[in-house]
Amino acid sequence: MKKQALKTAAEDILTAGNNYSASAMTKAEDVEREAATLAAEEAGEEPPMGDTEFQSIVANEITDAISYIDTDLSPYRAQATSYYRGDLFGNEQEGQSQVVATEVRDTVNSMLPSIMRVFFSSERTVEYVPRSQEDVPAAEQATDYANYILNQDNAGFTVLYGTFKDSLVRKCGIVKTWWAKNTTVRVEKYTGLDDGTRMMIEQEPDSFVTVIKEYDDPEFGEPQQMVDPMTGAVMLMPAPKLYDIEVKRVISEGRVCIEGVPPEEFLIDRNARSIDTAAFVGHRKMATVAELVAMGYDEDEVSEYTTSVDFQNNEEYLRRRPTTTTIGSMNESMNPFMQRVLYIEGFMRIDYDGDGIPELRKICCIGEGNTILRNEPADMVGFADFPFDPEPHTSPLEANSVYDYAKDLQEIKSDILRNTLDSLAQSIHPRTAVVEGQVNMDDVLNNETGAVIRMRAPGMVQALSTPFVGQAAFPMLEYMDGIKEDRTGMSRASMGLNADALQSSTKAAVSATISASQSRLELTTRILAEGMKKLFKQILQLTVANQDKARMVRLRNTWVQVDPRAWDATMDVSINVGLGSGDTEQKMSMLAMIAGKQEQALQLMGPQNPLVSPAQYANTLRKMVELSGFKDSSQFFNAIPADYQPPVPQPKPSPEEMLAQVQVKSIEADIEKKAADLALQREEMLLKDDRERDKLASEQFIKLRELELKYNAQINETQINAEIQRDRNAQEQMNMQMQAQTGMPPQ
């Protein structure tokens, strides 16, 4: 009875909180856990984990992860940021050159254009692989929709550009994905609406109409008299009403959100080897009160923690913001909704319900004390990692970066450049030796061209010439560049050969040089592609699990309705990146040769041959369009389904069959000609018969008149005409019978 009462109390709490309040959900979970504890005690089983124990475990994991990031990783990444920016080393001396070689920045900026081109030059960054033939249309639509989510719903290019730069400079870039249901309110005003339009707007869902003004239609004129047809009474027709209204539309839309996470904000277990197997993974940030209220938290509850701050001990955060003088200024906003509070959203696997199986849970904490606000089951960890050069069996955050490969080179080249410039400065502006007391020092210190130096005796002033020895440093600089090329793969050959590199080189040698220089960059791109694979798997899972209605979007220049509820959320992902040796021109030449062979096969063996299908030929043409720089190849060639079956062509007749067909047609032509001749003869016979009958009737009429005049007698002319007509009708019936027997058309 007590257990049932606790369950009912939990339902009442959720109902009172309208299922949206975070505090209401927490209270309901507490009541349900108490009911589960009673049930476990009655059954003699181990009760679920207590709140105090759970809070202690979570706080310990968060504290250890923060220590790992702030103490172990952030100082190193802060130094990498300084090297990327070309900051001073701190060992500079006054009066000497302080130039800094930017090897790290130059290498990163040389690699980024190629990496971005690889991922964003093709029409589809990724493709979902169907598991069965029936899933092919859904996989193709899911591929288009996922790319639409990345590039249209989110700033995909900007997010990945920042992520790749984090990876190259600071070892690893992190992208966060989540499903956000945003509710926006839009207020619109309309004037001069009639009753029908106003009622139509009022019937729109999630629309609230307020009538601002109601008035008569000024174009109606004077009231018109109208007579009631039933009563005959005269009535005045009132003018129609017009309305000025205000419409408040509440729009709730869910979208997949993609965001690049700053390295210092990402938390992970120090012993983790991957994000999926980590004991704890989280994202900490200084969120505003408005952001937390939009997530469903109570404003009063959140406002208690606005004094808490973080990142004040994080060297990486401060190094990336050189203009930030004090971290406390983040909470000085006079707007209470813009004040900030430490918010941590973490994921960890723990046996919270006491069933002996650890499950993935999403835990949201606030403040320095890591007060838990939400604790709910989760089906995925919404983070994708992009390490630059991961080390086996270690955390992705401990991968190698361009900074690791070029740090010492930047220091060495900076020292060489400084010494070279100092030597050049001393040779151009040599030091001056003077005899003390024999020279006017003001004249010596005057650098004006042609200025006079007053001396008491000759030779009291002389220049201490220092020869320029910087030429010896140039080979060393070239040597350092060679080491950098070997380590990072970025060379002049990978960015475009100069004239010197082309001298005395064959085409094969140049191609081999380019291929070798690009191999390291291709490996880096392929490693980053694994992060893209994780990212698009998360996009698919979030879309299938959360989008509860169809959405009209523009895909491939066509408006289509996308409903992902029937898709397979476990589809594999295939990354389309432009990897491989050779440049675009070589690939175009190879594709042109492949297209030529395909055309020959289709012409010789037909569209239903076992070697190549029309769909494969269409794929070749579409890939050529993509390599030409056009992302949307559907503007030129349509995609042909893999199961497309071209129509079967009719076989050509043999020479004997063609001869037989010609003979049959000749015979049919002769028969038609003879039938036409017979019909013509018959028509002539009928015409001749009609003429004879008409002549006979005329002669008979004349003879009758002669007889009447000669013998003065009355002859029954009507009877005679009837007999003649009877004979004519009998003749016509005979002709029709002959036509029916011969099959000739009537004339």
Side-chain angles (χ1 to χ4, degrees), residues 63 70 119 122 138 148 200 208 226 230 239 256 273 281 381 391 425 510 540 558 567 579 633 637 680 683 733 740 743:
T63 302
D70 291 349
F119 285 104
S122 63
Y148 181 90
M200 182 177 62
F208 303 92
M226 182 180 66
M230 301 297 295
V256 175
R273 295 185 179 181
V281 177
V381 178
E391 285 290 334
V510 173
L540 179 63
T558 303
W567 295 349
L579 300 180
S633 60
F637 301 102
L680 180 60
E683 185 177 0
Q733 291 180 357

Side-chain angles (χ1 to χ4, degrees), residues 104 264 278 313:
V104 175
E264 71 275 4
N313 297 322

